[in-house]
Amino acid sequence: MRNLAPYSFFNAFSYAPPLIGFASTDRKHTARNAELSGEFTWNLVTRALTEQMNATSTTADTDEFVAAGLEAAESVDISAPRVAASPVSFECRVSDVIALRGADGQAFTGVLTIGEVVAVHIDEAMIAGGVYQTALAHPVLRAGGPSAYFEILAEGRFDLIRPR
Ligand SMILES: Cc1cc2nc3c(=O)[nH]c(=O)nc-3n(C[C@H](O)[C@H](O)[C@H](O)COP(=O)(O)O)c2cc1C
């Protein structure tokens, strides 16, 4: 069954190999599917896709592309599909599934799934001067509380040079 879900416990962990991962509070469909199939795709949520993203957060056991009204796109290196309307997607092969523990060493139901990015898809309209332009995609961030989100806009940008 094709599955989709939003995961805000998400991050990148390494440049080479390029590793990304997400944490699930328990072995939900996404974590289970990734572990069993050995692959997953990550798809950027944009402002235009927020309603559909929210729709995929149900626990329903249905094809969540169909349920959310999202078209799937075939991946090139793995069999898990991508979200066609997302301007940035990564195809990943699972490299680690880590059972999470508290500081007391006690395992709980949480699991961190890490994957190596084996293919990257970026809509060329998001690239200027050879550099991905974050604000062009209008990505969204989950914020505090049960309902708050922020849209990333060009006017929120500032630049910083790292100290040597
Ligand atoms: C914006 C948003 C972010 C979420 N982030 C997480 C998360 O990081 N970890 C988690 O376990 N659940 C998270 N959830 C809840 C899951 O998306 C939800 O439990 C979903 O049903 C899981 O689907 P699955 O069983 O298909 O994996 C989030 C929900 C929303 C709306």
Side-chain angles (χ1 to χ4, degrees):
M1 184 95 66
R2 298 188 306 181
N3 180 70
L4 284 167
Y7 278 82
S8 50
F9 293 152
F10 163 85
N11 221 318
F13 296 106
S14 159
Y15 285 123
L19 298 177
I20 65 169
F22 63 92
S24 196
T25 53
D26 55 78
R27 281 186 154 78
K28 300 176 186 178
H29 290 136
T30 307
R32 273 207 312 270
N33 287 344
E35 189 169 8
L36 290 174
S37 67
E39 49 185 48
F40 63 91
T41 66
W42 167 83
N43 304 274
L44 181 70
V45 177
T46 63
R47 181 68 186 91
L49 290 172
T50 44
E51 294 296 330
Q52 293 94 322
M53 173 280 292
N54 204 29
T56 68
S57 71
T58 68
T59 50
D61 209 1
T62 53
D63 182 326
E64 291 190 88
F65 281 88
V66 174
L70 288 166
E71 213 175 292
E74 274 192 23
S75 291
V76 294
D77 278 350
I78 63 173
S79 52
R82 298 177 290 121
V83 173
S86 177
V88 188
S89 306
F90 295 165
E91 300 179 20
C92 302
R93 288 215 170 88
V94 174
S95 55
D96 261 305
V97 175
I98 298 167
L100 297 174
R101 296 180 300 159
D104 60 2
Q106 285 295 307
F108 61 104
T109 55
V111 61
L112 172 62
T113 305
I114 300 178
E116 178 171 347
V117 179
V118 294
V120 170
H121 303 262
I122 303 178
D123 179 343
E124 283 184 7
M126 306 293 137
I127 297 176
V131 179
Y132 171 66
Q133 303 293 321
T134 300
L136 286 181
H138 295 252
V140 290
L141 301 179
R142 186 178 182 185
S147 63
Y149 290 85
F150 281 95
E151 177 179 0
I152 306 251
L153 297 169
E155 49 269 38
R157 174 177 169 163
F158 58 96
D159 287 73
L160 272 184
I161 307 295
R162 289 190 202 178
R164 285 182 178 266

